[in-house]
């Protein structure tokens, strides 16, 4: 039986390269790997407020674990995005430890998966998370999770939504691709998640994406308070641009989304391409200044740091370490 293959808006191809292009990237990468500058202390870790995270049932908050993994607390639920606590990715060691260790995580109610790439879905991490772990995943991924023994998986197509204990989850488009083995290219979908509660903040988690017109449409449909957007794995841009935004494109996506705050992610945990965390942060700051985006709109989290909403009726957030 032929399996469905998913695609992008406007039939944009991503994740495809000719042999000549791949060889060119590999040669450049070997050269750049010799230079270790740009990785040291770019994303400091802080001591997480474990007491708050374990007992919080009322205050919306966002805690960065690392890469694309966040603990989001809303309406009494503990929600984890793209769970990856792996100490290495392929042959690359993790650049910084997770902001909250698996053993310190509170019981998890919901897991959101953006797509099936290994740096966004680490099965061992998923198994070790405590709690009921209802999984909400892209179309096509439920069967793979069932085969791994995860029975509570609900899959959605783009723009579909589901509600759970007062929290609404909507699966929204992204420009990307996915594969976990040589035979399953694009047999499951990819996208981002919009998380909403009544009289509270709306959070957009982008997953992985190249820059595309979908950001504008997401911003038209939702009033987003905080956008969690990737800024890493963009170099070389001639190879990566269809699947990963550059820091400048992430800033433009933030403008397209009309979000109130921008939390960068997808950098500082794993070396997946030729850019460094230092490169990404420098370009992000330069781009922010050139676009005239107020500095307070850009919220650079440390690993383990928590953003806490001052109240469910306010669009202000504050650094949890100040409380």
């Amino acid at each position: 039986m032929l399996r469905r293959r998913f695609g992008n808006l406007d039939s944009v191809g991503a994740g495809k390269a000719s042999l000549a292009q791949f060889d060119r990237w590999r040669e450049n990468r070997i050269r750049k790997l010799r230079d270790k500058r740009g990785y040291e202390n770019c994303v400091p870790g802080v001591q997480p407020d474990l007491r708050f995270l374990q007992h919080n049932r009322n205050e919306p908050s966002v805690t960065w674990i690392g890469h694309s993994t966040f603990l989001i607390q809303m309406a009494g639920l503990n929600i984890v995005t793209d769970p990856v606590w792996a100490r290495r990715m392929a042959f690359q060691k993790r650049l910084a430890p997770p902001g909250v260790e698996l053993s310190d995580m509170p019981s998890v109610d919901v897991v959101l998966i953006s797509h099936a790439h290994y740096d966004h879905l680490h099965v061992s991490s998923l198994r070790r998370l405590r709690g009921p772990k209802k999984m909400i995943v892209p179309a096509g991924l439920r069967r793979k999770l069932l085969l791994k023994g995860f029975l509570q998986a609900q899959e959605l197509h783009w723009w579909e939504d589901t509600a759970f204990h007062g929290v609404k989850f909507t699966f929204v488009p992204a420009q990307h691709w996915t594969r976990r083995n040589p035979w399953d290219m694009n047999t499951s979908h990819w996208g981002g998640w919009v998380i909403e509660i009544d009289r509270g903040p709306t959070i957009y988690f982008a997953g992985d994406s190249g820059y595309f017109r979908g950001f504008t449409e997401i911003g038209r449909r939702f009033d987003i308070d905080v956008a969690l957007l990737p800024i890493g794995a963009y170099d070389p841009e001639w190879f990566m641009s269809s699947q990963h935004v550059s820091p400048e494109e992430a800033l433009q996506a933030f403008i397209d989304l009309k979000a109130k705050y921008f939390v960068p992610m997808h950098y500082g945990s794993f070396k997946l391409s030729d850019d460094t965390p230092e490169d990404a942060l420098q370009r992000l700051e330069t781009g922010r200044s050139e676009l005239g985006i107020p500095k307070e709109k850009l919220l650079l989290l440390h690993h383990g740091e928590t953003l806490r909403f001052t109240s469910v009726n306010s669009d202000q957030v504050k650094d949890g370490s100040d409380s």
Side-chain angles (χ1 to χ4, degrees), residues 231 246-255 260-264 279-300:
I231 65 166
S246 66
E248 295 85 356
E249 289 171 331
L251 288 163
Q252 185 58 54
F254 171 65
I255 293 171
K260 297 179 179 69
Y261 294 94
F262 173 3
V263 173
D279 294 335
L281 291 172
Q282 287 179 349
R283 287 178 57 167
L284 189 71
E285 175 55 25
T286 299
R288 180 204 64 76
S289 178
E290 290 176 350
L291 289 169
I293 297 173
K295 196 164 188 174
E296 62 270 18
K297 297 294 184 181
L298 189 61
L299 305 175
L300 296 176

Side-chain angles (χ1 to χ4, degrees), residues 73 89 129 192 197 200 240:
Q73 298 184 305
M89 193 57 55
L129 282 172
I197 56 175
M240 292 292 190

Side-chain angles (χ1 to χ4, degrees), residues 38-45 64-68 86 93-99 119 229-234 264-273 275-281 301-303:
Y39 295 95
E40 299 81 8
N41 302 317
C42 283
V43 186
W64 193 26
I65 309 300
H67 199 53
S68 299
K93 290 183 179 180
R94 194 174 186 122
L95 299 173
D119 63 312
L229 291 165
I231 65 166
Y234 57 84
M265 64 172 185
H266 204 269
Y267 75 103
S269 294
F270 300 106
K271 181 170 176 54
L272 302 176
S273 63
D275 51 275
T276 70
E278 183 178 55
D279 294 335
L281 291 172
L301 293 185
H302 295 171
H303 291 143

